[in-house]
Every structure is written in C-alpha cells, then in structure tokens.
Amino acid sequence: MADPVTPSDDPRRSRARRAGRVTRRVALGLVSLLALGASGYAYVTKDQLQSTIPTTDALTPRAGEPAPPPADDGAEDILLVGSDARTDAQGNALPARVLRQLRTEANNGAVNTDTVIVLRVPKNGGKPSAVSIPRDTWTAIPGRGEAKINSAYGVAKAHAAQALRGQGEHDQAKIERDSDTEGRRVLVQAVQDLTQVRIDHYAEINLLGFYLLTEALGGVKVCLNHATEDKDSGANFHRGEQTVSGGEALSFVRQRKNLPRGDLDRIVRQQAFLSSALHQLLSAGTLTSPGTLNDLMDAVHRSLTLDPGLDLLQFAQQAKGIASGDLTFATIPVVTANGRSADGQSIVQIDVKAVRDFVAGLAGRSAAPAPAGGGSGSGAAPGAAPLLRDSPGVPCVN
C-alpha cells in the first residue's frame, strides 16, 4: 500500500503532526461529505465516488436476532462513528511509519469507537440534531451484558476475528473487513437498544481519515477559554483562537485530562470542532480549489465506510443544509460522569428513560418505555457556555 501521509518540509507542520494521537474522527468525515456535495465537481464524479467507497452490512439483523425498533420514529437517523482502527477502509494495516506520525502504534487489531453520534433529521421539517453518546456510557451490549458503549464494536470484532481464524481463514485483510462488519452490527444494536430509534444509515471514519481530512482543509480554527495541556494526548494549547491540523487537531479533540468535566467537555470540543470546520468550508472558498477537492475525495475513499443504502451525495446535500446553522448539537442526559461499575471501571451513568425521552423529543415523539432497572434522575444534557467572545463560526470551549 502506498504511504498515506507525506511528511512536510515545513517544521511548523512537522511539529503539528507530532502533537496528536488516536481520537474522534467523525467531524471531518461529515465535513468531507459536505465539501463533495456542495460542489458541482462532485456530481461529475458521483458514480466513481460512490463505487469506490467501502460499504458494510451493519444494519441487517441476523436470523434469530431481535427486530430493530420501528422505522417510523419521526426522523431519518444516521449513526456517525469514529474508530481508532489501525487499518485503512479496505482492511489493510497502516505502515509503522504512518503510525509513528499519528503518535500511536499497532494494537493487535483492537478497535474502540470513541465517537458515537446519532444524527437525527426530523421528517416533519424540524431542526436536525447531532446527539453525542459519551464513550464510557454504561449500557446493555447485545450478547455481553452491561459494559461501556465504546467497547461494543471491539469485543464483537475480536470474537468474530477469532472465529474466522478458527475456520481456517488466513487473509488478514479479509479477517479485518468481516470482523469489522460484526463489530459494527453489535454497536448499531447497542445504540438502538439504548435510544429506541431505528438507525437508518451508518457512516464510519477511521484514524487515518481524520488526519488526512484536516490536512486537506489546511487546518481548522478553534477557540479555548483557557490555556491547557495534557501529555497523554499531546495537547498543548494557548487561550483564545488558533488553527489546528494533523496531529494538533487529533490532540484537540482527544484531550479529556485537565478539562473541568472530563469526557463531557471533550464531547463539547468535538461538536465545536465540527461546527467550525463546516463554517470554514462554506465561507472561505475551500470548495473552489480542485486540489483540495481531490485530497478530500482521496481521504474519503481511504477512510470512510458506509452502509450500502446511504447515497453519499444526497447525504452531503443534507449536510450542506445542516451547515447553514440549523443543526442542534446535544449530548444524551447523564446522571453522573464520575460513576463506578461493580468491577471498578470509571463510567458514565445514565437513566435509560431519560435518554429515550430526550432523543425521542428531538423528533417530536414520545419515547418507548424503558426496561426495568433503567435508573432514575433527569440528567439534563450537558453543555458549556463560552467565556470568550466567539469569532463567526468558531465557538469558544473549555
């Protein structure tokens, strides 16, 4: 496989590349779709683009599995997932040189999905919402019992990969692709069980994709209320507005240590990053550059996975409308972000009924009843009021 990241001779960009590690990538996946859908250039290459993006059958239940929630839940629901896979979208392992540039290393095929967002587009014309589910949300995982939601994909993938090897499969790329499909299916089921909304479409972007997409955009403007650093994520940012790309962008959306509310503030950063990137695409003439569009198309091909029924450019046109300012960012209500599981894990505790009521309300519907043992408490959805004055399209966050 050709080297997917080309080193820069500019020392400032080299430092930026060294700054970050594995993290959430969904934001730029949505940005790239917007870029392609907002340009006439994309329509010229529509068939080529759609046919070259890997697809996954993550939405079809297997025989004997429970049926998904009813399709008529008031919205079209798209599950946006960011994975930390050390492979490209075709299942090929990333070279060691690329892993070093991303400040990570091989992990024997383990995968976590530390970004899980349900994009709800109401069918009654209401405002769409991007609803984040914290990575440590303690919830029911099909076939496993209760666990953190970000482990659903990885555990199911590991079991499937082991089974494939036991059946005599030796093609590692095929093992990666097929086991990924099983991991995605279990994640979709877990999200549906938690929210009681039918996931209509699936879109996933991997570690490599976030890096390539931020580089293609030439960086994204962000704004912080306070200077902050975190050695684990490589974060080292000053107060106020700044532009991040490559490794720095990875650090910006990964950091949770030294933030007042830990993972909840990290989610707000992800949402602010997405908002800023979308604004930048529409206002800075980014889409007039054929080179930028080619880079975006290449990144999408190498890092994005969709369900077969998701029309990429139709979704991009939805994203274009979303970027006009009507999108509401939200996080599911939580009881506490500082909970402990029975086996001592740090978890985000939720009230299942409160989560379902909140998500259903975004499409103007009533929620399905929660199962016994769902917990109690209203768990208002978290947010972070900016302390600095926002630049246009660049929210200031912790």
Side-chain angles (χ1 to χ4, degrees), residues 106-119:
N107 62 352
N108 298 319
V111 173
N112 284 316
T113 51
D114 290 342
T115 297
V116 179
I117 298 175
V118 179
L119 178 62

PDB file of all heavy atoms in Angstrom, residues 106-119:
ATOM      1  N   ALA A 106       0.770  -0.178  16.662  1.00  0.00           N
ATOM      2  CA  ALA A 106      -0.092  -1.326  16.381  1.00  0.00           C
ATOM      3  C   ALA A 106      -0.697  -1.851  17.680  1.00  0.00           C
ATOM      4  O   ALA A 106      -0.086  -1.780  18.749  1.00  0.00           O
ATOM      5  CB  ALA A 106       0.715  -2.428  15.696  1.00  0.00           C
ATOM      6  N   ASN A 107      -1.935  -2.354  17.587  1.00  0.00           N
ATOM      7  CA  ASN A 107      -2.639  -2.804  18.800  1.00  0.00           C
ATOM      8  C   ASN A 107      -3.315  -4.157  18.604  1.00  0.00           C
ATOM      9  O   ASN A 107      -4.349  -4.440  19.204  1.00  0.00           O
ATOM     10  CB  ASN A 107      -3.675  -1.757  19.221  1.00  0.00           C
ATOM     11  CG  ASN A 107      -4.749  -1.543  18.169  1.00  0.00           C
ATOM     12  OD1 ASN A 107      -4.647  -2.071  17.051  1.00  0.00           O
ATOM     13  ND2 ASN A 107      -5.774  -0.789  18.512  1.00  0.00           N
ATOM     14  N   ASN A 108      -2.750  -4.992  17.734  1.00  0.00           N
ATOM     15  CA  ASN A 108      -3.258  -6.350  17.516  1.00  0.00           C
ATOM     16  C   ASN A 108      -4.717  -6.378  17.071  1.00  0.00           C
ATOM     17  O   ASN A 108      -5.465  -7.298  17.402  1.00  0.00           O
ATOM     18  CB  ASN A 108      -3.089  -7.197  18.779  1.00  0.00           C
ATOM     19  CG  ASN A 108      -1.629  -7.364  19.171  1.00  0.00           C
ATOM     20  OD1 ASN A 108      -0.772  -7.565  18.309  1.00  0.00           O
ATOM     21  ND2 ASN A 108      -1.335  -7.252  20.454  1.00  0.00           N
ATOM     22  N   GLY A 109      -5.140  -5.354  16.340  1.00  0.00           N
ATOM     23  CA  GLY A 109      -6.476  -5.342  15.764  1.00  0.00           C
ATOM     24  C   GLY A 109      -7.584  -4.841  16.670  1.00  0.00           C
ATOM     25  O   GLY A 109      -8.743  -4.801  16.269  1.00  0.00           O
ATOM     26  N   ALA A 110      -7.259  -4.430  17.899  1.00  0.00           N
ATOM     27  CA  ALA A 110      -8.291  -3.919  18.807  1.00  0.00           C
ATOM     28  C   ALA A 110      -8.858  -2.607  18.268  1.00  0.00           C
ATOM     29  O   ALA A 110      -8.146  -1.801  17.684  1.00  0.00           O
ATOM     30  CB  ALA A 110      -7.713  -3.708  20.201  1.00  0.00           C
ATOM     31  N   VAL A 111     -10.168  -2.405  18.468  1.00  0.00           N
ATOM     32  CA  VAL A 111     -10.828  -1.205  17.979  1.00  0.00           C
ATOM     33  C   VAL A 111     -11.756  -0.668  19.063  1.00  0.00           C
ATOM     34  O   VAL A 111     -12.522  -1.425  19.670  1.00  0.00           O
ATOM     35  CB  VAL A 111     -11.659  -1.478  16.704  1.00  0.00           C
ATOM     36  CG1 VAL A 111     -12.470  -0.252  16.316  1.00  0.00           C
ATOM     37  CG2 VAL A 111     -10.748  -1.886  15.554  1.00  0.00           C
ATOM     38  N   ASN A 112     -11.676   0.636  19.306  1.00  0.00           N
ATOM     39  CA  ASN A 112     -12.672   1.325  20.130  1.00  0.00           C
ATOM     40  C   ASN A 112     -13.385   2.354  19.273  1.00  0.00           C
ATOM     41  O   ASN A 112     -12.810   2.900  18.325  1.00  0.00           O
ATOM     42  CB  ASN A 112     -12.009   2.026  21.320  1.00  0.00           C
ATOM     43  CG  ASN A 112     -11.605   1.053  22.407  1.00  0.00           C
ATOM     44  OD1 ASN A 112     -12.358   0.160  22.764  1.00  0.00           O
ATOM     45  ND2 ASN A 112     -10.389   1.208  22.924  1.00  0.00           N
ATOM     46  N   THR A 113     -14.625   2.620  19.595  1.00  0.00           N
ATOM     47  CA  THR A 113     -15.398   3.638  18.880  1.00  0.00           C
ATOM     48  C   THR A 113     -15.680   4.760  19.863  1.00  0.00           C
ATOM     49  O   THR A 113     -16.721   4.801  20.510  1.00  0.00           O
ATOM     50  CB  THR A 113     -16.715   3.055  18.334  1.00  0.00           C
ATOM     51  OG1 THR A 113     -17.401   2.367  19.388  1.00  0.00           O
ATOM     52  CG2 THR A 113     -16.429   2.073  17.221  1.00  0.00           C
ATOM     53  N   ASP A 114     -14.727   5.683  19.948  1.00  0.00           N
ATOM     54  CA  ASP A 114     -14.812   6.715  20.962  1.00  0.00           C
ATOM     55  C   ASP A 114     -15.615   7.932  20.519  1.00  0.00           C
ATOM     56  O   ASP A 114     -15.765   8.886  21.276  1.00  0.00           O
ATOM     57  CB  ASP A 114     -13.405   7.141  21.391  1.00  0.00           C
ATOM     58  CG  ASP A 114     -12.720   6.027  22.178  1.00  0.00           C
ATOM     59  OD1 ASP A 114     -13.430   5.136  22.662  1.00  0.00           O
ATOM     60  OD2 ASP A 114     -11.496   6.062  22.289  1.00  0.00           O
ATOM     61  N   THR A 115     -16.095   7.932  19.298  1.00  0.00           N
ATOM     62  CA  THR A 115     -17.089   8.906  18.864  1.00  0.00           C
ATOM     63  C   THR A 115     -18.321   8.153  18.389  1.00  0.00           C
ATOM     64  O   THR A 115     -18.238   7.333  17.474  1.00  0.00           O
ATOM     65  CB  THR A 115     -16.561   9.781  17.717  1.00  0.00           C
ATOM     66  OG1 THR A 115     -15.451  10.526  18.174  1.00  0.00           O
ATOM     67  CG2 THR A 115     -17.634  10.745  17.237  1.00  0.00           C
ATOM     68  N   VAL A 116     -19.445   8.412  19.021  1.00  0.00           N
ATOM     69  CA  VAL A 116     -20.721   7.819  18.611  1.00  0.00           C
ATOM     70  C   VAL A 116     -21.741   8.952  18.604  1.00  0.00           C
ATOM     71  O   VAL A 116     -22.069   9.516  19.655  1.00  0.00           O
ATOM     72  CB  VAL A 116     -21.166   6.703  19.567  1.00  0.00           C
ATOM     73  CG1 VAL A 116     -22.510   6.126  19.113  1.00  0.00           C
ATOM     74  CG2 VAL A 116     -20.116   5.599  19.649  1.00  0.00           C
ATOM     75  N   ILE A 117     -22.222   9.321  17.426  1.00  0.00           N
ATOM     76  CA  ILE A 117     -23.167  10.425  17.266  1.00  0.00           C
ATOM     77  C   ILE A 117     -24.361   9.939  16.451  1.00  0.00           C
ATOM     78  O   ILE A 117     -24.184   9.332  15.390  1.00  0.00           O
ATOM     79  CB  ILE A 117     -22.526  11.629  16.554  1.00  0.00           C
ATOM     80  CG1 ILE A 117     -21.359  12.188  17.386  1.00  0.00           C
ATOM     81  CG2 ILE A 117     -23.550  12.726  16.286  1.00  0.00           C
ATOM     82  CD1 ILE A 117     -20.588  13.296  16.690  1.00  0.00           C
ATOM     83  N   VAL A 118     -25.554  10.201  16.927  1.00  0.00           N
ATOM     84  CA  VAL A 118     -26.767   9.926  16.164  1.00  0.00           C
ATOM     85  C   VAL A 118     -27.243  11.243  15.560  1.00  0.00           C
ATOM     86  O   VAL A 118     -27.596  12.173  16.277  1.00  0.00           O
ATOM     87  CB  VAL A 118     -27.879   9.319  17.047  1.00  0.00           C
ATOM     88  CG1 VAL A 118     -29.137   9.075  16.206  1.00  0.00           C
ATOM     89  CG2 VAL A 118     -27.405   8.019  17.684  1.00  0.00           C
ATOM     90  N   LEU A 119     -27.200  11.321  14.233  1.00  0.00           N
ATOM     91  CA  LEU A 119     -27.700  12.493  13.526  1.00  0.00           C
ATOM     92  C   LEU A 119     -29.175  12.263  13.225  1.00  0.00           C
ATOM     93  O   LEU A 119     -29.523  11.388  12.433  1.00  0.00           O
ATOM     94  CB  LEU A 119     -26.910  12.710  12.241  1.00  0.00           C
ATOM     95  CG  LEU A 119     -27.343  13.877  11.354  1.00  0.00           C
ATOM     96  CD1 LEU A 119     -27.200  15.201  12.098  1.00  0.00           C
ATOM     97  CD2 LEU A 119     -26.519  13.902  10.067  1.00  0.00           C
TER      98      LEU A 119
END
